[in-house]
Amino acid sequence: MITLYDYELSGNCYKLRLLMGMLGIEWKTVPVDFYPGREHKSDWFLKINPLGQLPVIDDDGLILRDAQAILVYLASKYDASGSWYPRDNPALLGEISQWLAFADGITGTASAARLHDALFYDFDVEAARAGAHRLFRILDEHLWFGEQEGRSWICSAAQPTIADIACFPYIMLSEEGGIPRQDYPAIRRWCDRVKRIKGFSVMSGVFPAGPAKAA
């Protein structure tokens, strides 16, 4: 069984819980007191991940760090449909990879602003918010054009991929860092679609989808 070293309020940990729930994977959790305990910097945890970062998984002795890398692993190993990370489609894998990198940019901006506001991290919050808005504008435009072409998800696949899971959490949590989403209607519609994927789960600050609108 997979062991997830987890902090309940971490968007990067949440994206793993989200995918594992959607894939029907069983896992157990080892809570790590990120704040205020800073347990991710403790001696015992640094032996597991010398970078002192969450999340980490242990799958039968295979220890992996980095949320995006773990998403690739989980989808590759446990998704029998092959739709979340389609290994037989190089073009789509390239698309997914570029949006996984984009998700890291969201973490470095929207998540940084949230850490500043909620956990008192000493970051340049105005620069973080400005960077997040720049990325949100890019994604909102991308999603809007995709909708005009009949596409519902970040990548060109007919179904969601791990790119959607990677980008979703810190966008949904952005208002906790002073980054409102009202100017990004395509992002809001996409967030609603993600919430309606079978197996979707919530975390603090992320709520279920509302009632479906009548056609």
Side-chain angles (χ1 to χ4, degrees):
M1 180 181 289
I2 292 173
T3 298
L4 170 64
Y5 293 86
D6 183 48
Y7 178 56
E8 179 68 25
L9 299 180
S10 162
N12 274 334
C13 293
Y14 170 55
K15 63 182 69 173
L16 302 188
R17 300 195 303 268
L18 196 55
L19 182 64
M20 288 192 290
M22 291 173 175
L23 292 177
I25 300 170
E26 293 186 3
W27 76 93
K28 62 182 179 180
T29 296
V30 175
V32 179
D33 184 9
F34 181 88
Y35 181 86
R38 292 182 57 80
E39 199 173 6
H40 58 301
K41 302 297 184 183
S42 65
D43 289 343
W44 76 265
F45 187 79
L46 290 174
K47 291 177 182 177
I48 298 169
N49 181 5
L51 297 179
Q53 298 171 345
L54 291 168
V56 174
I57 66 164
D58 182 340
D59 188 7
D60 255 347
L62 173 66
I63 295 176
L64 289 177
R65 62 177 184 254
D66 185 84
Q68 272 62 269
I70 297 170
L71 288 176
V72 169
Y73 170 76
L74 292 173
S76 297
K77 181 172 181 179
Y78 292 102
D79 175 25
S81 73
S83 63
W84 286 98
Y85 189 72
R87 288 170 292 171
D88 59 348
N89 188 332
L92 190 52
L93 291 183
E95 283 186 61
I96 292 171
S97 295
Q98 72 178 2
W99 288 104
L100 295 182
F102 189 88
D104 279 332
I106 296 172
T107 301
T109 54
S111 174
R114 178 173 175 258
L115 287 172
H116 173 276
D117 286 9
L119 304 185
F120 314 109
Y121 273 56
D122 185 19
F123 292 144
D124 184 342
V125 69
E126 294 306 323
R129 289 171 182 154
H133 279 298
R134 176 177 174 272
L135 295 177
F136 285 17
R137 285 192 294 271
I138 291 170
L139 179 57
D140 191 72
E141 181 177 287
H142 171 77
L143 289 167
W144 186 89
F145 279 111
E147 288 173 341
Q148 309 317 300
E149 298 170 357
R151 191 179 71 234
S152 296
W153 309 105
I154 288 179
C155 294
S156 58
Q159 61 282 324
T161 67
I162 61 170
D164 297 281
I165 302 300
C167 291
F168 176 78
Y170 285 122
I171 290 177
M172 278 304 305
L173 296 167
S174 67
E175 293 186 353
E176 295 182 2
I179 305 162
R181 295 186 300 276
Q182 69 261 27
D183 292 335
Y184 309 109
I187 283 179
R188 297 200 309 273
R189 291 190 295 271
W190 165 76
C191 286
D192 185 73
R193 292 192 290 271
V194 172
K195 291 180 177 184
R196 298 181 191 281
I197 298 172
K198 184 179 179 181
F200 178 82
S201 58
V202 299
M203 67 166 281
S204 177
V206 179
F207 304 100
K213 293 181 180 179

